[in-house]
Amino acid sequence: MKVLKVPARTIAVFVLPCLVLYVCLVFMPIAVSFYTGLLQWDGITGAKFVGLANFKTMFTSDPIFWPAVRHTLLYAVASMLEIPLCLWMAIMLSRHVKKGNTLVSIYFTPVILSIVIIGQLWKTIYNPVSAGGMLNGVLVALGLDSWTHNWLTEPKIAMFALYFVSLWQYFGYHLLIQYTGVQNIPDEIYEAAKIDGADGFKADLHITLPLIVPIFKVSLVLAFIGSLQAFELVMVMTGGGPAHATDVISTHMYNSSFLSLKYGYGSAIAAFLVILCLICTVIINTVMGKLERKFS
């Protein structure tokens, strides 16, 4: 096959503008955020260079920071729990449902709704019975009065209530990804496996799962990294309360930057979040890369 030889200068003409634009839009704000994290600054008046003081305070004397990190990581891990279920449903829909596309589209509906709308909807559902809360109302109607809670105001429960809403919203998103991956596996492979005696669960175990690993990895990375950046849903439903019980890294960053007017400190938290996302992405890619090589 002939390889078209293109001069390096021609490649640079087409690639360089996009590369410069990408660096300016992606890496420059990150670099500025890292630098701002070295300042004692309220975002308005003069800034004072304090070196790593903000990072030292963040790691050693901020009582909200480490709980927020724990909430964020749990949020991210919880978001990954539904992906195996999505894969199982994708396989079932692909094998046994004629109009699987229609069902996947219905499951996808929450994804296209605004997070603000979803937050307000679930706040209403979580309300006490006296305020018309549907969940508590159903529990009372079933005689399960002891199961009723103030879902968003009890510190030990509020975070789990947020996890559930996030899982509900993105279930269709990951189902669509897994379903598309399963649909793209050629039927000829299954027909050949059927001749060799591999059908049903055995075919899924030895064909579907190995071939779906790259798609599974994409879904895991999107779920995990997206959850590390969770902000809107928490702000709409709880604002980080009660008593910081639902604070995540991004809400703590927002409150520090714009409510406490510690813009430099908030930038330090943002820098930590960027590093955390990079580390988690590398870990997931490494683990899933080993799985891909194992099954290839």
Side-chain angles (χ1 to χ4, degrees), residues 33-49:
S33 180
F34 272 85
Y35 174 71
T36 312
L38 304 176
L39 305 176
Q40 183 180 8
W41 187 32
D42 60 5
I44 301 172
T45 58
K48 177 184 176 184
F49 186 81

Side-chain angles (χ1 to χ4, degrees), residues 15-32:
V15 174
L16 201 58
C18 294
L19 184 62
V20 170
L21 186 64
Y22 184 77
V23 169
C24 291
L25 293 177
V26 176
F27 289 102
M28 284 293 290
I30 294 175
V32 170

Side-chain angles (χ1 to χ4, degrees), residues 20-220:
V20 170
L21 186 64
Y22 184 77
V23 169
C24 291
L25 293 177
V26 176
F27 289 102
M28 284 293 290
I30 294 175
V32 170
S33 180
F34 272 85
Y35 174 71
T36 312
L38 304 176
L39 305 176
Q40 183 180 8
W41 187 32
D42 60 5
I44 301 172
T45 58
K48 177 184 176 184
F49 186 81
V50 293
L52 298 175
N54 285 328
F55 292 91
K56 183 180 178 182
T57 302
M58 182 173 69
F59 289 131
T60 59
S61 57
D62 184 345
I64 303 172
F65 176 71
W66 286 114
V69 172
R70 187 176 70 251
H71 297 153
T72 303
L73 291 176
L74 288 174
Y75 201 106
V77 171
S79 71
M80 298 166 73
L81 296 179
E82 66 181 348
I83 296 176
L85 177 61
C86 291
L87 175 58
W88 178 78
M89 280 199 66
I91 294 172
M92 292 298 107
L93 289 173
S94 180
R95 299 280 178 277
H96 306 295
V97 180
K98 289 184 178 178
K99 296 185 178 179
N101 291 332
T102 306
L103 283 176
V104 172
S105 301
I106 293 172
Y107 280 114
F108 193 76
T109 303
V111 182
I112 63 177
L113 295 176
S114 162
I115 293 179
V116 175
I117 293 174
I118 289 176
Q120 293 296 337
L121 170 68
W122 278 93
K123 278 179 73 174
T124 305
I125 292 174
Y126 281 143
N127 272 339
V129 176
S130 57
M134 188 179 75
L135 178 58
N136 283 329
V138 170
L139 292 173
V140 170
L142 295 174
L144 301 172
D145 299 53
S146 60
W147 290 21
T148 58
H149 290 279
N150 294 318
W151 301 98
L152 296 179
T153 56
E154 294 183 23
K156 292 183 178 179
I157 294 177
M159 201 68 219
F160 293 99
L162 292 179
Y163 293 155
F164 181 81
V165 177
S166 182
L167 291 174
W168 173 83
Q169 183 187 7
Y170 289 105
F171 185 86
Y173 179 73
H174 296 293
L175 176 62
L176 177 64
I177 293 175
Q178 304 301 317
Y179 184 75
T180 305
V182 173
Q183 289 280 300
N184 283 334
I185 298 175
D187 292 336
E188 291 79 7
I189 298 178
Y190 290 107
E191 291 169 3
K194 193 173 183 179
I195 294 172
D196 292 336
D199 197 10
F201 175 74
K202 191 180 286 186
D204 288 328
L205 184 64
H206 295 287
I207 296 174
T208 308
L209 293 183
L211 293 179
I212 203 73
V213 168
I215 305 297
F216 198 79
K217 182 181 75 173
V218 170
S219 205
L220 283 180

